[in-house]
Structures are given as structure tokens and as C-alpha cells.
Amino acid sequence: MVIQQLGLHHFLALAGVLFAVGLFGVLSRRNSIAILLGIELMLNAANINLIAFQRYLAPSAGLNLVLDGQIFALVIITLAACEAAVGLAIILNVYRVLRTTTADEVSLLKW
Amino acid sequence: MQELADLIQEYGSLIAFAGFALLTLGSAVLVVTARRVTHACISLLPCFIGIAGLYALLASPVMLAFQLLIYAGGIMVLMLFAIFLLERRAGPISSANHYVLPAGLIAGLTAITILGAVQSESFTNRELRPPPLELAPDADGPGGWYAYQDPQTRASAEQPASNVKRTGFYFLTYYLLPFELTSLVLVVAMVGAIIIARREKGWVAAGRMPGTAGSQESGAGPQASGIAAAAEDGEEARG
């Protein structure tokens, strides 16, 4: 019996499925906050990919251990925090005006 | 018993990966299917912890720490606060809406496409091995688990051994511009969030306008007039 060793494709497959789950959440949910939760899942999937690629593909460049993937991922985490803060502020304000957080009912900009 | 120990020794990382993957995906599915938003939000916690475990498997203690600090400690708590503010009267959200089927189709197609691409030889290649890790007892600083390093890599002032120090070093040298730009974006986003979420008299009054909530049939008319009235209210309040 051949048991595979832990390889890059394991992480990529996991991140792909996680991304698809997050996409499903974003598309199927009607509550704005639940949509934001789905977006967080998708961002995390991207981060896993970045770190996995860094670990498996980048590091053997002699003395210079490349950390590009990790730097990218840290910047993405920061931007995710910004996105969550601004998104929740907008949802809060929308709730104040329209008394709802359901994305379907916020149709002011629809013609 | 010895066989079991050998098995763990040999396939330990695979077993750990399976555990973390199960934790991550299981709670991710809960996040997108839970009927209450609160439950969905709390399900994010095991998901983020599982992802942090994956970062540990990928020898990235910096990402592990920041995943737990920012995602599990910051973003999730922020979301929970927003839910507590907003979802007081809202009942369980109905997951049976007409978006589920098309969303499932699109997400399934995405997953199949990605998994198909991952099968490619360039990713499943067995030659593709990460460089071995070893604990560096002589690492700069008080040794310890974070001192993972590539044995080929000599520690020096310019190339610190530990992942943590190296990240900090890169951020303040080669990646100084992204670092500063990110901090600028962070400041702008936080100030913007405060300004957007600030309570204004006019907007609060508009919340009581009839026909602004849940009036799908009446279309945009009453809502638009509600906004216009709100704007007028706001101007009156300021003037």
C-alpha cells in the first residue's frame, strides 16, 4: 500500500475546496454579515495557497530564504481586517437607514 | 504498539494535515450552512484554528501567530459585535432560498476546476520536497520552537535564522514600501469606518420612515424617498 507523503497538492486541494465553500457562502447567503463571513473564508484559502507555494517552491534559493509568500499573506491579513471593519461599518449604517441587513432588500442603487 | 509509533513517526505530518483539514473544512461548511448568523460566526473560530495548524505544518510560525491574533482574536470578535448590534430581532435566517441551487452549481464547478488543475504533474511531483527543518539550538535569541531554519542557511545579521526575525527584517528592508502603504491603508480604513459608523441625527430619524424595510413589492420608490427625506433631515439637523 502506497501512502502518499504530504505534498504541495494536498494544501492546494484543501485551499481550493475552502475557496469553493466560501464562494458558496457568498453567493447563497442573503444576510450581509454572512456574506462577509464567506469572503473571509475565501481570503484564508488564498493565504494557505501563498504559504504552501512559499514552502514548497521558493525556499531553496541558496542562502536567501525567500519569504515573499509570507509577506504577501501578512499584507492580505491586514487588508482583510480593513475590509471587515469598513464592511461592518457600512452594514451598520445601512441597517440604520433601511432597518434591514438582507442584501436583497438594499436596492437603492438598482434602477 | 511499536508499529503504531513508527507509523506516526513516518506519516505524522500527513495525519496532522488530515486532522487540521477536517477541522477547517468541517467548520467552514458550518459557516456557510448554519441557520443563525451567530452560529456561523462562532464556527469561524475552529476554522481559523485549523488554518493556523496548517501554517504550523508549513513551518510558518509568524502566520500561525497572526492568524490567531488577527483573525480569531480580532476579526471574529468584530463580526460578533456587529451581529449583537444588528441581529437582535432577526429570527433564524432561512437557508432555503432560491440562490442555493445556482450558488451550489457555481461553487461546485469552481471546486472541480481547481481540483482538476491541482492534479497537474507540476504540483503532485514527488521530487517537490520542502527543505528539511531543524531546530537551531544556537539560533540568535533564546532558542526555542520558533527557531526553525533551513540547515543550508547560515544565520547572520543580514539573514536572521528564525522565521519571526527574518520576517521583521524583510518588512523593514526589502518590503518597506508595501509595509508603509499597508499601514496607510489601515489608517484610512479605520478612520473611514469610524466616520461611516458614526451616529448622525438625520439617519436615525430616517430609520423610522415607513416602507423602508422589507418592502420588496413597492420597489425603490419609498426607499428612495426615505433616503431623500433622511438627507433633508440631516441638513436640517446640521443647519
Side-chain angles (χ1 to χ4, degrees):
Chain A
M1 187 173 78
V2 177
I3 302 179
Q4 280 194 324
Q5 294 232 306
L6 191 56
L8 176 59
H9 55 293
H10 289 106
F11 289 97
L12 296 187
L14 170 70
V17 174
L18 189 63
F19 184 87
V21 171
L23 185 64
F24 174 77
V26 169
L27 292 177
S28 69
R29 291 290 205 173
R30 302 175 70 213
N31 185 300
S32 312
I33 295 179
I35 291 175
L36 275 185
L37 298 184
I39 292 176
E40 297 297 337
L41 287 184
M42 291 164 78
L43 286 170
N44 268 290
N47 274 350
I48 293 177
N49 262 5
L50 286 172
I51 303 291
F53 276 124
Q54 179 208 290
R55 177 83 180 109
Y56 280 85
L57 295 183
S60 51
L63 281 181
N64 288 313
L65 191 68
V66 184
L67 284 183
D68 288 5
Q70 193 163 299
I71 303 280
F72 277 21
L74 284 173
V75 171
I76 288 181
I77 284 190
T78 316
L79 294 183
C82 293
E83 169 253 318
V86 174
L88 288 175
I90 290 174
I91 293 173
L92 222 70
N93 219 348
V94 163
Y95 180 77
R96 250 180 233 147
V97 175
L98 301 177
R99 286 289 167 215
T100 180
T101 55
T102 306
D104 293 7
E105 294 169 7
V106 184
S107 55
L108 289 173
L109 291 181
K110 232 162 142 186
W111 69 85
Chain B
M1 207 58 205
Q2 185 58 39
E3 287 176 3
L4 185 68
D6 286 348
L7 206 67
I8 290 176
Q9 177 78 26
E10 195 170 358
Y11 299 111
S13 59
L14 202 63
I15 296 167
F17 175 83
F20 286 133
L22 214 64
L23 184 67
T24 305
L25 285 184
S27 49
V29 168
L30 269 184
V31 168
V32 296
T33 55
R35 292 180 65 81
R36 283 183 181 274
V37 191
T38 319
H39 296 172
C41 190
I42 291 174
S43 306
L44 271 181
L45 187 59
C47 184
F48 288 156
I49 291 174
I51 292 171
L54 292 175
Y55 290 149
L57 278 179
L58 288 167
S60 182
V62 173
M63 286 303 292
L64 188 155
F66 278 108
Q67 178 78 16
L68 291 181
L69 274 177
I70 298 180
Y71 269 115
I75 292 181
M76 208 202 78
V77 173
L78 191 68
M79 297 265 186
L80 271 182
F81 266 122
I83 290 170
F84 290 156
L85 277 175
L86 296 181
E87 305 291 325
R88 282 167 305 179
R89 285 178 297 278
I93 50 175
S94 66
S95 58
N97 62 55
H98 55 280
Y99 295 125
V100 168
L101 194 63
L105 276 178
I106 293 174
L109 276 178
T110 309
I112 290 171
T113 313
I114 294 175
L115 289 180
V118 168
Q119 296 292 319
S120 122
E121 174 62 22
S122 53
F123 294 142
T124 52
N125 189 354
R126 278 167 169 278
E127 307 285 302
L128 203 65
R129 308 245 24 99
L133 294 170
E134 61 183 32
L135 281 174
D138 61 343
D140 40 354
W145 66 274
Y146 62 82
Y148 277 122
Q149 70 170 340
D150 185 343
Q152 295 170 333
T153 311
R154 276 201 321 273
S156 69
E158 297 207 339
Q159 295 289 330
S162 82
N163 183 279
V164 182
K165 284 189 178 179
R166 197 184 288 268
T167 308
F169 175 78
Y170 278 176
F171 253 134
L172 292 179
T173 52
Y174 302 122
Y175 297 98
L176 189 59
L177 186 62
F179 180 73
E180 296 293 345
L181 285 180
T182 311
S183 58
L184 188 68
V185 169
L186 197 59
V187 170
V188 170
M190 290 308 143
V191 172
I194 291 170
I195 288 176
I196 292 173
R198 196 177 50 187
R199 185 175 291 269
E200 287 183 46
K201 277 184 182 173
W203 297 106
V204 177
R208 287 196 294 273
M209 295 297 281
T212 49
S215 59
Q216 280 176 317
E217 291 168 18
S218 51
Q223 295 181 3
S225 62
I227 284 292
E232 285 167 15
D233 282 357
E235 278 168 12
E236 282 171 15
R238 276 186 222 101

